[in-house]
Amino acid sequence: QVQLEESGGGLVQAGDSLRLSCAASGLTLSSRSMGWFRQAPGKEREFVAFISWNTVGTYYADSVKARFTISRDNAKNTLYLQMNSLKPDDTAVYYCAASVPFYSGSVHVPKGYNYWGQGTQVTVSS
């Protein structure tokens, strides 16, 4: 049974940093490209960051570029999202997701991912 479990969310002030983790079980992360998405109240789930299975490719939403960094530790089977210079607009539930194998579509859309975590809340106060 595949499980992705996010952690590291919390309540912070604007300008602070957080590091989210996504621990996988039943799935070898090194075999999958991975993504982070977020969903704010009343809004659709949106793409945040992507890392390819071989770590060669990383992509970010324009809104987080230069502030967020996606990484993975294959030895720990864990995905990370380092978030710096947080803004109130970053407030959302953050989800990690494992991509569909050999998916050839856009990495920015949820349908390209077939395993999801339960999410972790990030709240940034102004």
Side-chain angles (χ1 to χ4, degrees), residues 10-11 14 20 32 41 46 49 54 59 63 68 70 72 76 78-79 93-96 100 102 108 110-111 113 122 126:
L11 172 63
L20 305 184
R32 294 288 191 107
E46 66 172 358
N54 58 5
Y59 305 100
S63 59
F68 290 11
I70 189 171
R72 64 199 306 163
K76 295 182 178 180
T78 301
L79 178 74
V93 177
Y94 283 72
Y95 300 89
C96 64
V100 174
F102 310 112
H108 300 84
K111 72 176 182 180
Y113 301 81
V122 173
S126 57

Side-chain angles (χ1 to χ4, degrees), residues 45-73:
R45 191 166 297 191
E46 66 172 358
F47 169 78
V48 174
F50 167 90
I51 186 167
S52 62
W53 67 272
N54 58 5
T55 316
V56 170
T58 56
Y59 305 100
Y60 298 91
D62 288 343
S63 59
V64 308
K65 206 171 293 183
R67 298 188 298 122
F68 290 11
T69 303
I70 189 171
S71 63
R72 64 199 306 163
D73 186 334

Side-chain angles (χ1 to χ4, degrees), residues 3-126:
Q3 284 190 318
L4 300 176
E5 184 172 0
E6 301 95 338
S7 61
L11 172 63
V12 297
Q13 293 187 332
D16 286 350
S17 298
L18 278 176
R19 188 177 80 157
L20 305 184
S21 300
C22 171
S25 59
L27 177 72
T28 301
L29 288 192
S30 59
S31 67
R32 294 288 191 107
S33 296
M34 300 292 294
W36 285 97
F37 286 75
R38 67 187 182 186
Q39 188 165 18
K43 295 186 177 182
E44 293 187 352
R45 191 166 297 191
E46 66 172 358
F47 169 78
V48 174
F50 167 90
I51 186 167
S52 62
W53 67 272
N54 58 5
T55 316
V56 170
T58 56
Y59 305 100
Y60 298 91
D62 288 343
S63 59
V64 308
K65 206 171 293 183
R67 298 188 298 122
F68 290 11
T69 303
I70 189 171
S71 63
R72 64 199 306 163
D73 186 334
N74 290 335
K76 295 182 178 180
N77 215 32
T78 301
L79 178 74
Y80 301 100
L81 184 69
Q82 177 67 42
M83 306 186 296
N84 298 329
S85 301
L86 283 162
K87 304 175 181 180
D89 284 349
D90 295 320
T91 295
V93 177
Y94 283 72
Y95 300 89
C96 64
S99 69
V100 174
F102 310 112
Y103 182 72
S104 59
S106 171
V107 303
H108 300 84
V109 295
K111 72 176 182 180
Y113 301 81
N114 61 345
Y115 292 114
W116 293 82
Q118 82 291 346
T120 185
Q121 176 71 46
V122 173
T123 303
V124 185
S125 64
S126 57

